[in-house]
Amino acid sequence: MTLNDPFDATRAGREGNPGSPGTTGASGEPVGTSPDTTNTAYGRVDAAHDQATIPDPGAAPEVTTTTDGGLIDAGISDATTAPSTDAETTDPSSSEFHAADDDDMVTIAKLVKASKIALLTTVTPSGQLHSRPLATQEADFDGDLWFFTQDPSSKVDDIRSNDQVNAAFESGKGYLSVSGSATLVHDRSKIDELWSPAVSAWFPDGKDDPTVALIKISAQSAEYWASDEPGVVSVFKIAKAALTGGQPDVGENKSVDL
């Protein structure tokens, strides 16, 4: 930086008096702030610095070059260089989404059916994420998820503001995360179709209550971790991996577009 100081005329590399006011270093920072500071041909020297840490004003500037291995300059070693192409910036360990096949749909349907509760995450009008537990319905998964709700409610307000949601499921069969777009449905015939004694416990005024509504999630993508082993076996594998090192094999993990 450059200081607007009438004394800011002495630069590193010119002789100066120890502690002289207004003296600046090679990068423009003020030096000579204490009696221990001395300006030399190489920059400044004081109790907190030695010549090895001060740039030589006469040295050639550092040059950044691009190689097959990435970017290299005088301040970055080969071990920490950045990739030189966009393709190399992709993390090979990151999940890749593939089109769901019939087996994926069967697995997702199984995980939904095995779960009693889903955590529905919505985006509030202020941009925050808000998750709530909702009871899963008996309907077989065919690409859509259905949940009962009350309208008006805060989650309904969120959906009207931003229809992007996520539903997370957990059961003894594994874990499932489904992302998609949500819409509000007031179709009385659909409410009649999905109504059950379990639902009536949450709506004491019955299915004819005008505030009863449905949230329909049109699934866009999903990631699942599915296992046919008993939960105790999975827990044992996790505990064993924690003790011996390595990653436990507790089932199939896939990311799919729906």
Side-chain angles (χ1 to χ4, degrees):
M1 64 181 176
T2 302
L3 301 179
N4 296 322
D5 188 307
F7 294 99
D8 190 19
T10 304
R11 306 291 294 178
R14 300 181 183 178
E15 293 186 358
N17 295 324
S20 58
T23 303
T24 59
S27 60
E29 77 280 8
V31 299
T33 55
S34 71
D36 296 329
T37 303
T38 304
N39 296 321
T40 72
Y42 295 98
R44 67 178 182 184
V45 176
D46 60 23
H49 301 80
D50 59 32
Q51 293 182 11
T53 64
I54 306 301
D56 183 352
E62 295 178 354
V63 178
T64 300
T65 58
T66 302
T67 70
D68 292 338
L71 302 178
I72 300 177
D73 62 29
I76 303 178
S77 67
D78 290 348
T80 59
T81 55
S84 58
T85 65
D86 291 341
E88 292 174 351
T89 62
T90 302
D91 181 1
S93 64
S94 62
S95 298
E96 295 183 3
F97 284 79
H98 305 281
D101 56 26
D102 291 342
D103 289 340
D104 294 323
M105 297 299 290
V106 169
T107 299
I108 292 172
K110 179 182 68 175
L111 292 172
V112 172
K113 191 170 185 177
S115 303
K116 301 300 182 184
I117 298 293
L119 278 179
L120 177 68
T121 301
T122 58
V123 183
T124 68
S126 62
Q128 296 177 319
L129 299 178
H130 194 175
S131 298
R132 309 165 182 84
L134 293 178
T136 57
Q137 304 308 309
E138 295 296 329
D140 291 333
F141 177 78
D142 59 359
D144 296 328
L145 295 170
W146 295 88
F147 300 96
F148 276 94
T149 187
Q150 283 188 307
D151 184 11
S153 65
S154 58
K155 56 183 170 293
V156 167
D157 292 339
D158 292 349
I159 291 171
R160 287 195 171 106
S161 173
N162 188 328
D163 67 355
Q164 293 301 296
V165 299
N166 181 271
F169 302 82
E170 183 275 332
S171 70
K173 300 294 185 181
Y175 305 88
L176 170 67
S177 175
V178 177
S179 297
S181 59
T183 54
L184 298 172
V185 177
H186 291 85
D187 183 354
R188 305 314 299 181
S189 62
K190 191 66 177 180
I191 291 174
D192 289 341
E193 176 189 337
L194 296 177
W195 193 263
S196 69
V199 175
S200 62
W202 297 98
F203 299 93
D205 293 333
K207 61 183 177 181
D208 294 328
D209 182 346
T211 68
V212 174
L214 292 166
I215 297 173
K216 175 186 177 182
I217 299 177
S218 300
Q220 297 168 340
S221 64
E223 184 167 5
Y224 63 80
W225 298 259
S227 175
D228 291 327
E229 296 177 333
V232 65
V233 175
S234 296
V235 171
F236 173 77
K237 287 185 175 181
I238 294 172
K240 181 179 178 181
L243 293 174
T244 62
Q247 186 175 6
D249 178 13
V250 294
E252 180 184 20
N253 172 221
K254 290 186 69 176
S255 301
V256 295
D257 288 319
L258 301 171

